[in-house]
Amino acid sequence: MDKITLAHGSGGKMMHELINSLFMKEFDNKILAEKKDSAIVKVGKKKIAFTTDSYVVNPIFFPGGDIGNLAIYGTVNDLSVCGAKPLFVSLAMIIEEGLDKTILRRIAASVKTAAKRAGVQIVTGDTKVVEKGSCDKIFINTSGIGEVFYEDLSIDAIKPGDVVIVSGGIGEHAISVLSKREGISFKTNVKSDSAPLNDLIGKVLKVSSGVRFMRDPTRGGLATTLNEITEGRSFGIEIYEKDIPVTEGVRQACELLGFDPLYLACEGRAILVVSAEDSGKVISAMRKNELGKSAKIIGSVSREYKGKVCLNTLSGGKRLAGMLSGEQLPRIC
Amino acid sequence: MDKITLAHGSGGKMMHELINSLFMKEFDNKILAEKKDSAIVKVGKKKIAFTTDSYVVNPIFFPGGDIGNLAIYGTVNDLSVCGAKPLFVSLAMIIEEGLDKTILRRIAASVKTAAKRAGVQIVTGDTKVVEKGSCDKIFINTSGIGEVFYEDLSIDAIKPGDVVIVSGGIGEHAISVLSKREGISFKTNVKSDSAPLNDLIGKVLKVSSGVRFMRDPTRGGLATTLNEITEGRSFGIEIYEKDIPVTEGVRQACELLGFDPLYLACEGRAILVVSAEDSGKVISAMRKNELGKSAKIIGSVSREYKGKVCLNTLSGGKRLAGMLSGEQLPRIC
């Protein structure tokens, strides 16, 4: 098994192992080792957040979004959850020979609208074209830089007793993409949650200084993201299935396809770990925002289950919810 | 012809038309409109250079380099020619399912060595895997940020009488890649010039405040890059074929393949437009550096040939050297 498999890109266990064994080791440095959604770097005395993501989503248009706005919002969100105001975004495209220019035009228009909505500027870019068959339609990389305005967001700041909040229903992005995928397609009214979180997060950080850490649960979903937070730590996280917002449409699709919503990607949701004291005002600030109106406290940080995530199931049982293992859904973002 | 063709990614005329008609129009802003190799942005009061490039080079290993160090040096050079000290680089990979891990390990090691040589840190990254056949082995995007230390590099600063300098032999990167490409491969001892220019450029900018503008001639080569400088301007550039450094190996390969070295990509060369007054000290500073030892004055900025590039040929004639039109060499970087 010395080949790269789809599971190495799924956001789960195998991806973490690959990244840890190869890249973290080779490029060993403190900033990278933080494993945040953005790197926090200093240029002179200025603290800047810097992030990158490539988008290979298939299909490129799906209910609620497309590869263009996904690429903008994904990068905006990686900056936002690190306490930064997203400012500038780069746009690099790898295009397959033969792509219709009308498709490219639609994507460019979508990028423009998304950038406007998120309040960022596209300031630099790159266009590569490869032979037919050497890529699948179009891949987009966006990188972004933002100004850090809320410091000290860190897993190290998390304490037992803190609460865990999710900003809205989970799994909607993954289900919407799958519903249009060749070979799987099924009927659903689920739309991608793809959206820019900078406004929502900005409002939360204005009312509370008790936010310890944030992350957006993309590949690997809620459960994997929570495991990234607890991994190797002296605390665990306990969550309650009954409190996790899952829409009826996502629930039905999961039953149909045999998926667990806990492992499905979101593209417009944030997970926040907040002091218990501030949780009320954080939730109320979130619910005032369109993107946070279904925000819920789904659990808390515990001295038990060290390094793990414990799920209290609907049926009253308890089980560990590990990191996504193997491949669930390739090319979801 | 409403399809994307390989020529749209070749760095030449069609790529410029696509970028102008689509992206420049949609994402219209002053920073993007500068069309520099990096965007110069302000975060607070700090001036930062920000750039992105995707690398789809085929083959991924070639004499003198590989996709890993190419990706680092390319981004370092885009920052350097904008008067910035390269600091932080992101690394986003799109990997084809089935790629040998040993190949990935070789690339990671090469990235590490290149980052060390260039003095930059890899601080953030992304790993995507797509199904076999959905990309060709591996594509890498690197974005980078640097601290601007030499301001006012701009095409607007260029004046008739300024001289044009190239830091070394042209076309070596393109020939080295082609020599190993399936279906073309031929024998040559030409190695890619792929190298980080930050040290060389730092030394030049220390001795001279007369540097007006710099660019690294990648896709489209020297002639296309010079046209990017003159396009729409009230000055032209006149260059002398006899003064343009072309190694014997590149010359032979060009004869064999029917290429014009003026249009072949370099990955470790800079073009500098410098005041005539400072040209002597710039050349002598460059020649003291390993990467600048073949630096030459190849021409000057002229009131004639407005918006164009005029080549004085070896045989004593004059002809306009336009932008690369159509496709010459796909996937050269």
Side-chain angles (χ1 to χ4, degrees), chain A residues 300-321:
Chain A
S300 60
V301 177
S302 145
R303 281 182 213 282
E304 288 185 84
Y305 319 109
K306 278 180 193 170
K308 310 277 183 201
V309 176
C310 175
L311 176 73
N312 290 274
T313 64
L314 283 177
S315 54
K318 275 183 193 287
R319 68 171 173 88
L320 292 180

Side-chain angles (χ1 to χ4, degrees), chain A residues 66-125:
Chain A
D66 59 70
I67 193 170
N69 53 28
L70 185 68
I72 298 300
Y73 297 151
T75 286
V76 161
N77 294 348
D78 281 345
L79 296 170
S80 302
V81 296
C82 291
K85 177 179 160 65
L87 297 172
F88 306 108
V89 174
S90 65
L91 182 80
M93 284 162 298
I94 301 172
I95 307 171
E96 185 183 16
E97 179 188 16
L99 187 78
D100 268 336
K101 274 194 197 162
T102 49
I103 290 180
L104 201 57
R105 256 180 233 118
R106 270 178 75 189
I107 293 171
S110 169
V111 164
K112 180 189 179 174
T113 307
K116 200 172 171 192
R117 178 174 174 200
V120 294
Q121 280 187 296
I122 313 288
V123 292
T124 188

Side-chain angles (χ1 to χ4, degrees), chain A residues 2-4 26 29 48 53-54 98-101 112 122 126-128 131 134-135 143 219 331, chain B residues 2-4 22 26 29 48 53-54 98-99 101 112 122 126-128 131 134-135 143 219 331:
Chain A
D2 223 29
K3 301 266 189 199
I4 296 296
E26 285 288 15
N29 67 62
I48 286 168
D53 260 310
S54 291
L99 187 78
D100 268 336
K101 274 194 197 162
K112 180 189 179 174
I122 313 288
D126 181 47
T127 307
K128 294 285 192 305
E131 312 89 329
S134 291
C135 91
S143 300
R219 280 179 292 172
R331 298 184 61 190
Chain B
D2 222 30
K3 302 265 188 199
I4 296 296
L22 199 54
E26 286 289 14
N29 67 61
I48 286 168
D53 260 310
S54 291
L99 186 78
K101 274 195 198 162
K112 180 188 179 175
I122 313 289
D126 180 47
T127 308
K128 294 284 192 303
E131 312 89 329
S134 290
C135 91
S143 299
R219 280 180 293 170
R331 298 183 61 190

Side-chain angles (χ1 to χ4, degrees), chain B residues 120 129 167 198 209-210 257:
Chain B
V120 294
V129 181
S167 66
N198 45 344
S209 57
L257 300 165

